[in-house]
Amino acid sequence: MALRSCLRRWRLGPSRRFFFGLVALFLLCEATWGEATAPRLVVVLPEAICPRGSSVFLGEYASLEGEQELVDRASLAPLSLSGGKLTRGQVVAALQDQGLAGIPVRLQMPTSVTLGQEDPLEGRIRRAAHWPWRVAARPDRPVDPATPLPPGLRSGMRSVSLNVATSEEPARFVRVVLRWYQPQVVAKSPLRKGETIRREDVFLRLGIQDTYRLLAHSFQQVEGKVLRIPVKAGVPVAMEVLVRDEVVHAGNQVVLSSVVGSVAVEAKGRALEQGAVGDTIRVRNLDTRQIVSGVVIGPGRVEILQKEDGGV
C-alpha cells in the first residue's frame, strides 16, 4: 500500500509504475535474500600456521565468530595435516564432519594455508608440561627458543618469566603469556549435587585452560558419574567435582598388607570406611580385632600405615 501511494504521488504513468514496482520488488527480494544467507559462522585462517602435529583441531589455529553453539562445534573440527598445506576443501570437510553442513559459513582463508614447523618455544613448553594440545606462547619481546624454562612449569599457568640474563644484564626476565588449548566438557544447564551426568547434559568445546584444576576433556570421563557439588550452566566440568570410583566400601572384607623390614606381611581385615585409590581409611584386623589406618592401593587391598588402638 505504501509503495502504491508513493507511485501515485509521483504521478507516474501505468508503464512507469509497473517498471518502478518491479525495481522495488527486486530490491526487497535482494535485501531478504541477504538476510537469509547472512553467515552464522565466520572462520578466518591466516596464510601460514605452525601446527603442533599432523592432527589438530580447527579452533587451535583459526579465529571463529558467530553463534556460540556453532563456534563451539567448529572449534573441535578435526584437521589432518600433510603435504605442507591446508586447503579450503579440507576445512569444509572438517566442518561437515562436525555436523555443520548446510549452515551459512563465511570461510576467509587463502586457497591453501602453508604449514610450518611448530614454534620451538611453544613445543618446549608443551612437552615440559606434558600437554597434548596447543600451547600458544607470546613473549613480550624476542627470546631465544632455547632459553631455559622455569622449574615447576605446569598447565594452566597464564604466564611464565624466562631468565634471559647476560653478563651485561645479570637480572633480566622476559614475560611469556600462555594460552593452553583443551577440549572441555561443559554443562548445558545447571547440574545439581548428587545428579548423575548423562551425555545429553553436557557438550564439548575447545576452550582455554586457565586454572590448575584438572578439567574433563571427553564424554567418557563424565558420563554416568555423580556430582559432588553443583555445576552451573556453561561451566567446564572439573574432575574434582565428580564422585570418585570407590574401590573399597565400608563393611567389605579386604586384604591388609604391610612391610616389616624386608618381609611383606598380609592379613584379613574389614573396611570401616569407603575409599578410592590413594585414600586413607580405617580398617579392622580380623585376627587381632585391632583398628588400624591404611592407604587404599587397589580393589579390596589396603596398605597399613599405623594402628589407632594399640597392638600389632
Side-chain angles (χ1 to χ4, degrees):
M1 294 297 293
L3 177 61
R4 186 181 302 172
S5 62
C6 288
L7 293 175
R8 288 176 178 172
R9 189 180 302 117
W10 292 339
R11 298 179 180 179
L12 299 175
S15 60
R16 291 189 176 182
R17 288 182 190 175
F18 178 75
F19 172 76
F20 281 105
L22 285 179
V23 171
L25 181 61
F26 171 78
L27 293 176
L28 178 61
C29 291
E30 182 73 7
T32 305
W33 173 259
E35 292 177 2
T37 58
R40 298 171 58 190
L41 174 67
V42 178
V43 180
V44 181
L45 277 163
E47 294 184 355
I49 61 174
C50 298
R52 56 177 172 80
S54 59
S55 180
V56 301
F57 294 116
L58 178 63
E60 291 180 273
Y61 299 95
S63 172
L64 303 172
E65 295 181 358
E67 299 176 21
Q68 190 59 52
E69 180 183 354
L70 302 182
V71 169
D72 291 339
R73 288 161 61 185
S75 67
L76 287 173
L79 297 175
S80 295
L81 308 177
S82 61
K85 64 181 181 180
L86 172 66
T87 66
R88 296 176 66 91
Q90 288 176 281
V91 176
V92 171
L95 293 173
Q96 291 176 341
D97 288 342
Q98 286 298 99
L100 296 174
I103 301 296
V105 177
R106 179 185 299 158
L107 180 55
Q108 298 179 2
M109 63 175 289
T111 304
S112 63
V113 174
T114 302
L115 305 179
Q117 296 295 319
E118 181 179 25
D119 179 87
L121 180 59
E122 292 184 359
R124 290 183 60 225
I125 293 174
R126 185 173 62 82
R127 289 187 291 272
H130 305 288
W131 192 249
W133 305 284
R134 185 191 178 192
V135 179
R138 297 291 180 266
D140 58 14
R141 70 184 72 175
V143 61
D144 184 350
T147 300
L149 299 177
L153 179 67
R154 58 184 297 191
S155 61
M157 285 183 166
R158 299 186 180 185
S159 66
V160 294
S161 294
L162 302 184
N163 187 349
V164 294
T166 63
S167 56
E168 292 78 15
E169 295 181 272
R172 183 186 177 195
F173 293 88
V174 172
R175 181 172 180 265
V176 182
V177 177
L178 303 176
R179 288 170 63 86
W180 306 81
Y181 290 84
Q182 178 197 9
Q184 297 175 352
V185 179
V186 182
K188 288 183 179 179
S189 57
L191 300 176
R192 302 184 304 275
K193 175 182 177 180
E195 186 172 351
T196 300
I197 299 179
R198 303 167 299 171
R199 175 71 69 92
E200 54 266 32
D201 295 329
V202 292
F203 67 93
L204 271 176
R205 73 178 180 201
L206 189 73
I208 302 298
Q209 165 81 319
D210 57 0
T211 174
Y212 294 138
R213 303 171 73 193
L214 181 63
L215 303 180
H217 58 81
S218 69
F219 289 126
Q220 290 76 15
Q221 290 179 296
V222 303
E223 191 171 6
K225 298 297 178 65
V226 178
L227 287 169
R228 294 173 50 245
I229 60 175
V231 177
K232 296 180 180 179
V235 173
V237 179
M239 296 301 293
E240 65 188 42
V241 307
L242 304 175
V243 175
R244 295 170 300 166
D245 293 329
E246 309 290 350
V247 296
V248 172
H249 297 274
N252 287 170
Q253 184 168 310
V254 296
V255 175
L256 308 180
S257 62
S258 180
V259 177
V260 180
S262 60
V263 180
V265 179
E266 290 189 349
K268 293 181 180 180
R270 189 169 302 281
L272 302 180
E273 299 171 317
Q274 65 182 16
V277 173
D279 286 349
T280 300
I281 64 172
R282 295 183 306 142
V283 294
R284 185 185 298 276
N285 187 315
L286 295 182
D287 294 331
T288 64
R289 310 303 300 173
Q290 295 173 343
I291 296 176
V292 295
S293 293
V295 176
V296 178
I297 59 174
R301 298 190 64 86
V302 178
E303 184 175 350
I304 300 305
L305 292 178
Q306 63 183 33
K307 298 174 293 182
E308 289 198 356
D309 61 355
V312 178

